[in-house]
Amino acid sequence: MDCTLGSPLQHRDQDYGQLRDACLKCKSLFEDPEFPAQRSSIGLPADTDPARALKWLRPKEINKNAKFIEGTASTNDICQGQLGDCWLLAALSCLTLHQPLFANVVPNDQELSEPYAGIFHFRFWQYGQWVDVVVDDRLPVQSGRLLFSYSRTQNEFWSALLEKAYAKLNGCYASLKGGNITEAMEDFTGGIARSLSVASRTPAVLWRALGSSLSRGTMLSCFIQAVNRAEVGMVTPEGLVRGHAYAITATDVVKDKKGEVCLLRLRNPWGFVEYCGPWSDNCKEWDEVDNAEKQRIALTRAEDGEFWIKADYFSSLFTTVEMCSLNPDALDDTPSSWRITSHQGAWVPGCSAGGSRKYRRTFWTNPQYRLVVSQLDHQDVADENDDDAEEQGGLEEDGEEAVAAVQTDRRTSSTVVVELLQKHCRQKDKINFMYIAFHIYRVPPELQDDPSSLKASFFSSNKPVSRSGKYQAQRGTRRKVRLPPGNYVIVASTFKPNIQGSFFVRIFAQAGNELESQGGVPCSSEFSSVVLANPIAPDDRSKVQVLFKQQAGLDNRLNAVQFNKLLNSGLEESLHLSLETCRGLIFGQDTGGTGTLSLAQTEQLVAAVNSLQAIFSQFDTDSSGTMSSFELSLALQAAGFLLDPPVLQQLWLRHGTADLLLSFDGFVACIGKLRKLFDLYESEGSLEVKEHGINTWLLRFIGV
């Protein structure tokens, strides 16, 4: 489903238009059952002081002159309340500077005047699609004041209602405590975010780059990196808060008696606590500037959270700039043509959650995505590796040099931007970001035509040509790199194996380059030629013939119960299979609708089970009677089944165990299910089914 801005996904199936019309028809105010006016929607402990009891009030109950938006939305409409969501509100301050982007998030057909139904809606980008979130306008109030976000004008409520909608999207208000501003920037725009180390440029170059970015609609923010948790929230002698997000809202030049001064305008989302160094609101430097100049830049010398700072001082005090633009050219003067490919994926324990490169036996099982670079850039692209802020504070995978040398001559390489976002880590009052990263490997020509060839040996003997950086416990990690022409594979992983989670990966590449999932080839089965073609051994034939006579019914055939007894009582102990698995094997045979086996069919199945036992033993390296689930795809390949990752993942979810081990019975059950599904597909006469292909068929029925 293509959920665009014009046709967004309805969050929790709530249709704003229908709900609003129903309320207007019955002359009632909307009360949202999906996000009720209760403590559960707050997610924080209740205040024990009765005088500070929480109330839920509508805007006109708080202020008789309540407006949704008074005039136009501005940064002064946003002040932080009793919630640590400065990252969200700083991004919201940036959003107000770009009216078209603001209108995408805040539909402009909403008012607190008649016709009024107490219902509002907002749109957010979520992992490749836009989502429309409905809320009622009951807001949490404590001691007569809004508990969370509020406007300095006191009678404006759009920011408080947007904050409520974003809290609903993420579970509750408490789920918004703490975050990275790039997360909110991307959710407001669907754009691509980047981190930039302030120290990577001279003050003059940085100032020019930020001004150019603002003019192209890029959202900008900054912060001072806290060395440890204790430093977060500490105020520096210059009045700046460590670990706190500030919005960058403008750059400009003013003239004093000494000449031109390059300035940046910042805003603290608290709405107070401002920079107090040179060029701050009340400093003497402004006395040397003409009033006309001060009026031109709209200088406001008030404690409103907004202040100007000289470019030199900015570079000496701040450590990181965060930016978000609709394409990767946030700092480049010449726009280029980008092609975007995205994939939804998952790390499934025991199947596709192989961990970092230090787990050499399982790293290859992580989701993989192919990239073919053939089209070169037609212009210089500057600063392709300026994301060094992302290297800080993460987990290193090993002590080795992690990236192989690769030629990156601008004339013979192309720009690629990769972003990996983990999904659904803000739920209710818990924020659980996993440590994630991605690696890019070059695929040699001899392996390019075989998508199943990139196994453990390939990754253990080759170094990546690039990576996202250290594993980061943040929602997203991204990297802009230059790659020479060739075939590459991108591997997305968590730091530790068997960590369950879902993710979204998108790849920006120059037009002409090709991107695809590693699992994009049709599944195939050679089971009949690999396993069923093996004849039964003479000794086993004699045993089977004797046991068949003992177990067969009057029709001289075996049903599932009798076949189960034959395997479990007369043959090797290791062939023990459950009755249900025996039924699956029988229904994989052509029994003419009887569900019973002839002697020849019994001999064939016993031979097949013996072959599967040999395959299973090959991967049961510790002779425990179980097979590591990471080896399931290799065992299935040995049995003649080549499966793409999504199919393998669904197969594991259907047959895998909680302890991430697979018994021989479970392995045979997988084989029986696959064999029957492949046979049914071959007999299917529908052209529509054939057009969709075997992969779609397997994904549809593998869970049945």
Side-chain angles (χ1 to χ4, degrees):
M1 182 177 182
D2 187 14
C3 298
T4 62
L5 269 169
S7 181
L9 176 71
Q10 294 170 353
H11 184 56
R12 301 188 185 180
D13 295 322
Q14 290 179 298
D15 187 296
Y16 168 74
Q18 292 181 3
L19 292 171
R20 181 176 181 271
D21 290 347
C23 289
L24 291 173
K25 184 176 181 180
C26 65
K27 297 182 179 180
S28 63
L29 297 181
F30 178 62
E31 294 187 2
D32 188 1
E34 298 293 334
F35 200 64
Q38 298 174 1
R39 175 59 61 175
S40 60
S41 297
I42 300 293
L44 299 171
D47 197 310
T48 57
D49 184 356
R52 294 175 57 81
L54 197 66
K55 296 180 180 180
W56 294 80
L57 301 178
R58 297 185 188 269
K60 291 186 178 180
E61 296 173 322
I62 300 171
N63 189 306
K64 293 181 180 180
N65 297 317
K67 302 282 187 181
F68 183 64
I69 297 178
E70 181 75 73
T72 58
S74 70
T75 58
N76 284 334
D77 301 341
I78 308 155
C79 295
Q80 186 176 342
Q82 299 179 42
L83 189 64
D85 61 348
C86 66
W87 58 279
L88 171 67
L89 302 183
L92 198 53
S93 293
C94 297
L95 186 67
T96 62
L97 303 177
H98 309 286
Q99 186 54 41
L101 300 179
F102 181 83
N104 291 339
V105 178
V106 186
N108 57 16
D109 58 347
Q110 305 181 93
E111 294 290 347
L112 279 164
S113 56
E114 298 298 334
Y116 165 67
I119 182 172
F120 293 85
H121 69 127
F122 302 87
R123 292 187 292 243
F124 306 103
W125 181 87
Q126 291 284 280
Y127 315 110
Q129 60 186 10
W130 283 88
V131 179
D132 192 76
V133 182
V134 168
V135 291
D136 63 35
D137 61 355
R138 295 177 293 177
L139 295 168
V141 174
Q142 189 176 65
S143 302
R145 294 175 58 88
L146 284 172
L147 184 62
F148 302 128
S149 177
Y150 62 94
S151 171
R152 291 188 66 85
T153 60
Q154 301 297 314
N155 69 325
E156 196 168 34
F157 289 89
W158 70 265
S159 62
L161 290 170
L162 186 150
E163 181 187 51
K164 181 177 182 178
Y166 199 68
K168 177 181 177 179
L169 181 68
N170 287 280
C172 67
Y173 280 99
S175 66
L176 306 184
K177 288 186 64 176
N180 192 304
I181 191 171
T182 56
E183 183 177 345
M185 284 178 164
E186 291 191 338
D187 285 350
F188 290 157
T189 64
I192 183 77
R194 294 176 68 186
S195 290
L196 172 68
S197 171
V198 172
S200 65
R201 288 170 172 78
T202 65
V205 171
L206 178 64
W207 179 84
R208 285 195 298 270
L210 296 182
S212 178
S213 296
L214 283 170
S215 68
R216 290 194 302 274
T218 301
M219 297 171 62
L220 299 176
S221 71
C222 56
F223 65 89
I224 302 172
Q225 183 73 45
V227 176
N228 51 52
R229 286 184 176 273
E231 278 197 359
V232 175
M234 290 180 57
V235 180
T236 70
E238 296 82 14
L240 299 171
V241 185
R242 292 186 179 276
H244 182 60
Y246 291 82
I248 302 175
T249 60
T251 62
D252 215 317
V253 177
V254 297
K255 295 181 180 180
D256 62 9
K257 293 181 178 180
K258 297 179 181 178
E260 293 185 338
V261 181
C262 297
L263 300 174
L264 297 95
R265 188 177 65 197
L266 275 61
R267 187 173 190 276
N268 182 347
W270 288 352
F272 56 92
V273 182
E274 295 185 9
Y275 167 67
C276 58
W279 294 97
S280 59
D281 282 0
N282 297 313
C283 72
K284 62 182 180 180
E285 282 82 3
W286 288 111
D287 297 336
E288 306 298 324
V289 178
D290 291 342
N291 288 332
E293 281 282 82
K294 289 185 281 190
Q295 291 177 4
R296 181 184 62 79
I297 67 171
L299 175 65
T300 303
R301 305 175 80 168
E303 184 72 4
D304 56 2
E306 186 174 87
F307 57 88
W308 291 88
I309 183 172
K310 190 178 178 181
D312 294 351
Y313 301 139
F314 176 87
S315 292
S316 66
L317 296 173
F318 285 87
T319 56
T320 306
V321 169
E322 305 275 21
M323 57 189 64
C324 182
S325 61
L326 298 184
N327 64 60
D329 295 319
L331 288 178
D332 304 322
D333 291 329
T334 305
S336 56
S337 176
W338 294 95
R339 180 182 170 212
I340 305 173
T341 297
S342 63
H343 302 278
Q344 307 285 345
W347 292 294
V348 177
C351 180
S352 59
S356 67
R357 288 195 309 134
K358 68 181 293 186
Y359 301 94
R360 298 181 182 276
R361 294 185 62 234
T362 59
F363 177 75
W364 68 273
T365 64
N366 286 301
Q368 301 175 15
Y369 302 92
R370 285 286 179 113
L371 165 65
V372 179
V373 176
S374 56
Q375 184 86 14
L376 301 181
D377 290 343
H378 294 294
Q379 81 280 334
D380 282 344
V381 181
D383 303 303
E384 64 271 16
N385 287 315
D386 58 9
D387 301 323
D388 43 347
E390 301 224 16
E391 295 278 0
Q392 301 175 6
L395 296 178
E396 182 57 85
E397 54 201 330
D398 52 39
E400 303 176 359
E401 175 61 39
V403 179
V406 61
Q407 181 183 1
T408 57
D409 189 327
R410 296 182 188 280
R411 296 166 297 179
T412 58
S413 60
S414 186
T415 307
V416 175
V417 179
V418 182
E419 180 177 53
L420 173 65
L421 302 175
Q422 54 184 307
K423 298 169 62 176
H424 313 311
C425 293
R426 293 182 182 274
Q427 293 299 323
K428 290 299 180 183
D429 58 344
K430 294 182 179 179
I431 304 173
N432 183 29
F433 286 129
M434 303 173 289
Y435 282 87
I436 62 171
F438 61 81
H439 296 74
I440 303 175
Y441 291 81
R442 187 161 190 172
V443 181
E446 63 270 19
L447 299 180
Q448 291 173 6
D449 296 329
D450 184 5
S452 65
S453 61
L454 304 185
K455 302 303 182 185
S457 59
F458 171 82
F459 293 104
S460 62
S461 59
N462 290 274
K463 290 183 178 181
V465 297
S466 186
R467 61 174 187 165
S468 56
K470 294 181 180 180
Y471 282 80
Q472 295 286 319
Q474 296 179 356
R475 185 178 75 160
T477 182
R478 54 203 65 83
R479 195 76 173 181
K480 188 174 186 179
V481 299
R482 294 188 66 85
L483 299 173
N487 285 44
Y488 299 86
V489 63
I490 301 167
V491 183
S493 64
T494 58
F495 183 70
K496 292 184 178 180
N498 293 326
I499 302 295
Q500 183 171 335
S502 57
F503 64 86
F504 173 79
V505 61
R506 54 180 173 170
I507 306 165
F508 296 73
Q510 296 296 308
N513 295 318
E514 301 174 14
L515 309 104
E516 63 183 21
S517 171
Q518 171 76 341
V521 296
C523 299
S524 62
S525 171
E526 299 294 333
F527 179 76
S528 296
S529 59
V530 172
V531 175
L532 293 183
N534 295 332
I536 190 170
D539 291 345
D540 286 338
R541 180 187 293 273
S542 299
K543 291 180 182 179
V544 169
Q545 290 175 348
V546 172
L547 292 170
F548 185 88
K549 291 180 180 180
Q550 294 175 357
Q551 298 290 342
L554 296 177
D555 59 353
N556 201 37
R557 297 178 72 88
L558 295 182
N559 60 28
V561 174
Q562 294 162 340
F563 179 61
N564 182 249
K565 289 181 179 179
L566 181 148
L567 289 178
N568 293 348
S569 61
L571 297 176
E572 297 295 333
E573 184 178 353
S574 59
L575 292 186
H576 279 196
L577 298 175
S578 68
L579 177 60
E580 187 61 32
T581 297
C582 289
R583 286 196 179 104
L585 291 175
I586 291 174
F587 278 94
Q589 299 288 102
D590 182 8
T591 65
T594 66
T596 58
L597 300 171
S598 65
L599 175 60
Q601 288 174 319
T602 302
E603 290 176 347
Q604 184 186 51
L605 278 186
V606 170
V609 172
N610 277 325
S611 295
L612 293 177
Q613 182 197 32
I615 293 171
F616 185 84
S617 298
Q618 178 184 351
F619 298 100
D620 179 15
T621 54
D622 59 357
S623 301
S624 64
T626 58
M627 183 174 63
S628 167
S629 52
F630 280 119
E631 307 296 343
L632 176 60
S633 65
L634 294 179
L636 290 173
Q637 283 186 54
F641 291 101
L642 179 62
L643 305 177
D644 81 340
V647 172
L648 182 65
Q649 181 172 296
Q650 290 300 311
L651 188 70
W652 172 252
L653 290 172
R654 178 65 177 84
H655 294 280
T657 61
D659 56 4
L660 304 182
L661 296 173
L662 196 69
S663 66
F664 178 63
D665 181 76
F667 176 61
V668 176
C670 288
I671 295 291
K673 170 66 69 68
L674 288 170
R675 183 187 174 195
K676 187 63 177 177
L677 288 177
F678 272 96
D679 288 346
L680 288 172
Y681 179 78
E682 290 300 322
S683 65
E684 178 60 55
S686 169
L687 291 178
E688 182 180 357
V689 169
K690 295 298 185 180
E691 287 176 358
H692 283 92
I694 181 64
N695 296 37
T696 301
W697 175 267
L698 292 173
L699 288 172
R700 181 179 178 185
F701 293 109
I702 210 163
V704 176

